[in-house]
Structure formats: structure tokens, C-alpha cells
Amino acid sequence: FHFFTGFLTFLTIKFVIERSTQNRVLALAGALIFWLTPGVYNMLSTTYIDVAVAAYTFLSFTVLVLGLEADNKKLLFLSGCLLGSAACVKYIALYDAVSIAISWIYIAATQSKKIGVKNIFIFFAGFLAFASYWLIRNYLLTQNPFYPYWGFLFGLEQRSSATYYSGSGLGKSV
């Protein structure tokens, strides 16, 4: 899985650069720079999830740009699904959602296009289609959909790191 997400990111980077510059050599060089970065290359054969978060986030942004250029609602939904997948993998990807939103506003402003409430709803529906399972699961188990973060937003006490680790217990996944 991790190797696949790294390779998928490699192909996406190559696609974006080649689409922008029409230069295959430059596209391959740029993608190889990503692939051969020691931090990325070393994580491809391990169970670290950072490459998957990068893959889903970068794919989400790329598909969003393609969807906005073509005014394609299916691509907007797919972009939301990809960002929802990134958020399921690691909550820090929610910060990427802010970056994508700012980019969306910039693209709309520079291309004189309306953002459209319907487009935002379609994107958000795709996001929720993938992220809602984990958000609901965490809420049912801890009364905080973003557990162990942001407990103060839900009226829960902030745990120290010592009580957090001792109270976590065994994993509840399959």
C-alpha cells in the first residue's frame, strides 16, 4: 500500500509538471526528485502513513484544479473523496483542507469564476462520504470526533500526554 501511494504521487507529480510545461524530461526529473528524497524513499517500504497523506492530498488538489477548469462536478466530488481519505489517514490533513480552500478561492478569483455553493456542497459531500465513518466512530467511542485532539470544543477535559497514553488502551480495529 505505501509503495503504491508513493508511486501514485510520483505519477501525479509527473502528470502535473508535464501538463504545465509540455516537457517530459523535466516532468520525470521533478517526479524523481520527490521519489528519491530519502524521507519519502525510506517510508515506502514501511508502515508510516505520511506518504499516503501526501498522495491523497496532492491528488485531491490536482483533481480539484482539473474539476474547476472543466467545470466537472464528478471531479469535485472525487477531490472531496480524496481529501476525506487523507483526513481518515491522519487528522493533520484537515489543515490541508484550509490550504485547498484558499487555493480554490484564488483559482476562482484569477479565472473570474464563481465558487458556487453547489460546488462546495458537492466537494464537501465527497469529503464526508469518506471521512464520516471515522468521525462518527470516534464520536461514539469518545464523544469527540477528532479524538485525541480538540476535546475542549466538545466540552471534554484536555488530557495530558501521560493520561492520554495510559487511557488509550488496546486498538479497536479489526
Side-chain angles (χ1 to χ4, degrees), residues 8-77:
L8 193 60
T9 308
F10 170 86
L11 292 176
T12 307
I13 291 170
K14 184 181 177 308
F15 168 78
V16 168
I17 295 173
E18 190 170 336
R19 186 172 182 265
S20 299
T21 64
Q22 307 299 321
N23 187 336
R24 284 188 177 193
V25 175
L26 182 63
L28 185 60
L32 280 172
I33 287 171
F34 165 78
W35 183 265
L36 297 175
T37 301
V40 173
Y41 186 76
N42 291 334
M43 282 192 244
L44 294 177
S45 62
T46 62
T47 56
Y48 288 111
I49 57 174
D50 299 313
V51 175
V53 172
Y56 289 135
T57 302
F58 191 65
L59 279 168
S60 175
F61 180 74
T62 302
V63 171
L64 176 70
V65 170
L66 294 174
L68 291 174
E69 287 176 356
D71 198 27
N72 187 330
K73 309 288 189 237
K74 291 179 184 178
L75 289 179
L76 294 178
F77 184 80

Side-chain angles (χ1 to χ4, degrees), residues 8-161:
L8 193 60
T9 308
F10 170 86
L11 292 176
T12 307
I13 291 170
K14 184 181 177 308
F15 168 78
V16 168
I17 295 173
E18 190 170 336
R19 186 172 182 265
S20 299
T21 64
Q22 307 299 321
N23 187 336
R24 284 188 177 193
V25 175
L26 182 63
L28 185 60
L32 280 172
I33 287 171
F34 165 78
W35 183 265
L36 297 175
T37 301
V40 173
Y41 186 76
N42 291 334
M43 282 192 244
L44 294 177
S45 62
T46 62
T47 56
Y48 288 111
I49 57 174
D50 299 313
V51 175
V53 172
Y56 289 135
T57 302
F58 191 65
L59 279 168
S60 175
F61 180 74
T62 302
V63 171
L64 176 70
V65 170
L66 294 174
L68 291 174
E69 287 176 356
D71 198 27
N72 187 330
K73 309 288 189 237
K74 291 179 184 178
L75 289 179
L76 294 178
F77 184 80
L78 177 60
S79 176
C81 291
L82 290 165
L83 190 61
S85 297
C88 287
V89 172
K90 204 171 194 179
Y91 282 139
I92 201 159
L94 292 174
Y95 293 117
D96 296 337
V98 174
S99 300
I100 288 175
I102 292 169
S103 299
W104 192 342
I105 292 168
Y106 175 78
I107 290 168
T110 57
Q111 294 181 359
S112 301
K113 291 185 176 183
K114 292 182 180 177
I115 294 175
V117 175
K118 186 176 180 181
N119 288 344
I120 293 170
F121 178 76
I122 290 169
F123 178 85
F124 193 65
F127 176 84
L128 285 179
F130 277 70
S132 62
Y133 169 78
W134 290 105
L135 297 174
I136 292 169
R137 178 186 176 275
N138 279 345
Y139 182 79
L140 293 175
L141 292 174
T142 66
Q143 285 67 51
N144 176 3
F146 305 106
Y147 180 80
Y149 308 109
W150 304 325
F152 63 92
L153 294 174
F154 301 95
L156 303 172
E157 63 187 56
Q158 237 3 60
R159 295 180 174 183
S160 69
S161 60

